[in-house]
Amino acid sequence: MPRKRTPASIAAITGRGGVNSFPADPGEFAMPEAPAFLTKRAREAWGDLAEMLHGVGVLTNSDALALGMLCEAFSDWQEASDAVQAEGATYRQETETGKEMIRAHPAVAQRADAWRRLQSSLGDFGLTPSAREAIMPGGRLTPEDDIAAKYFL
């Protein structure tokens, strides 16, 4: 699989960007509005994440859709995790022959899928330890500065 391309805003912060690392239009860096498709849970995540990412200079208007998808993946992960916690990771089902079979709860697969989408998107925005290390020398935020910690750690 080909290596993911580093977003221009992150490349510019790390000093690995080219001449055209930042968009030409300064209005591009205005705080984007939350997309209308966001669910209630995703909208809550949007508020904290958009503010944090915009504050460090890696969020632009053109990132609204990608951040919205990250927030929806997080919302899906939360919902599936809640279902697994409430109903268990497995359930028993009787087969046609009358024997009992233990099956994985459908929310287990949904949670795993949401986690994969979430991990991919977190890296795109510099919200994983390895991605943060590439952006910030030492890769560390103080607990007060790390708004994402309450969601992802």
Side-chain angles (χ1 to χ4, degrees):
M1 178 186 310
R3 185 176 156 160
K4 281 187 175 182
R5 185 171 178 193
T6 304
S9 56
I10 292 177
I13 291 170
T14 61
R16 294 183 215 134
V19 175
N20 297 320
S21 293
F22 283 107
D25 179 13
E28 180 73 10
F29 288 101
M31 175 71 88
E33 291 188 30
F37 64 80
L38 294 181
T39 61
K40 182 180 177 186
R41 268 190 163 158
R43 193 167 293 281
E44 290 170 6
W46 172 278
D48 290 336
L49 291 172
E51 184 178 315
M52 178 186 60
L53 291 168
H54 187 262
V56 295
V58 296
L59 184 66
T60 65
N61 283 326
S62 60
D63 297 324
L65 178 62
L67 182 59
M69 297 306 291
L70 180 144
C71 293
E72 280 300 326
F74 177 63
S75 174
D76 292 347
W77 179 82
Q78 281 184 311
E79 288 178 24
S81 293
D82 289 349
V84 169
Q85 187 172 13
E87 301 167 22
T90 60
Y91 66 96
R92 298 178 185 277
Q93 182 177 26
E94 189 174 312
T95 65
E96 291 178 7
T97 60
K99 294 186 179 184
E100 189 173 75
M101 177 183 233
I102 298 175
R103 296 188 154 213
H105 191 289
V108 171
Q110 292 169 345
R111 183 175 61 178
D113 175 63
W115 180 251
R116 281 188 291 278
R117 291 183 289 130
L118 189 55
Q119 279 293 102
S120 176
S121 294
L122 289 171
D124 290 343
F125 284 101
L127 295 174
T128 62
S130 60
R132 201 167 39 248
E133 182 71 31
I135 296 170
M136 303 169 67
R140 309 264 188 290
L141 291 175
T142 63
E144 300 82 37
D145 293 336
D146 195 0
I147 297 170
K150 71 180 181 182
Y151 289 105
F152 305 112
L153 301 177

